[in-house]
């Protein structure tokens, strides 16, 4: 039961993030993330791997179809000084080269 809930929560968070990416400016997204420590966000991102994505039934193909070049630029803008790390991890998780 907990596994099903974890999958639903993870997918809801992915959907929420995609919605924010599509509908909010980088400044608004930064403001939303502002109350979280950057180091904690990077640490959490570091803990995610392909197996985790698969176990949570996150559809990476759907994400790849949905993300535009403009969305990727927005992610870079929001990541700021950590953009290289964030983009490398995102591309790794999505199977991009």
């Amino acid at each position: 039961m907990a596994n099903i809930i974890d999958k639903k929560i993870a997918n809801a968070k992915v959907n929420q993030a995609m919605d924010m990416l599509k509908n909010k400016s980088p400044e608004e997204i930064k403001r939303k993330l502002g109350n979280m420590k950057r180091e904690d966000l990077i640490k959490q991102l570091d803990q995610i791997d392909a197996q985790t994505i698969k176990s949570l039934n996150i559809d990476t193909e759907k994400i790849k179809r949905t993300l535009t070049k403009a969305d990727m630029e927005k992610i870079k803008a929001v990541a700021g000084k950590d953009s290289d790390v964030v983009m490398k991890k995102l591309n790794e998780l999505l199977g991009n080269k």
Side-chain angles (χ1 to χ4, degrees), residues 1 6 55:
M1 182 69 167
D6 289 344
S55 71

Side-chain angles (χ1 to χ4, degrees), residues 18-84:
M18 293 298 291
D19 185 59
M20 278 181 27
L21 191 58
K22 296 290 184 187
N23 298 308
K24 304 279 186 209
S25 70
E27 293 75 26
E28 290 174 292
I29 297 170
K30 282 181 187 178
R31 203 169 30 253
K32 279 231 183 237
L33 296 175
N35 48 348
M36 296 182 76
K37 291 183 180 176
R38 291 185 82 77
E39 298 83 25
D40 292 342
L41 288 172
I42 297 298
K43 201 180 296 183
Q44 287 179 355
L45 183 62
D46 239 4
Q47 294 173 356
I48 300 170
D49 60 13
Q51 186 61 35
T52 304
I53 298 291
K54 185 177 180 179
S55 71
L56 294 171
N57 289 336
I58 294 174
D59 187 351
T60 57
E61 291 303 316
K62 178 182 175 187
I63 294 170
K64 287 189 329 191
R65 287 189 308 271
T66 304
L67 284 176
T68 65
K69 184 175 173 101
D71 294 333
M72 297 299 271
E73 291 300 320
K74 198 180 285 188
I75 292 169
K76 283 183 188 178
V78 171
K81 67 181 177 83
D82 299 311
S83 65
D84 289 342

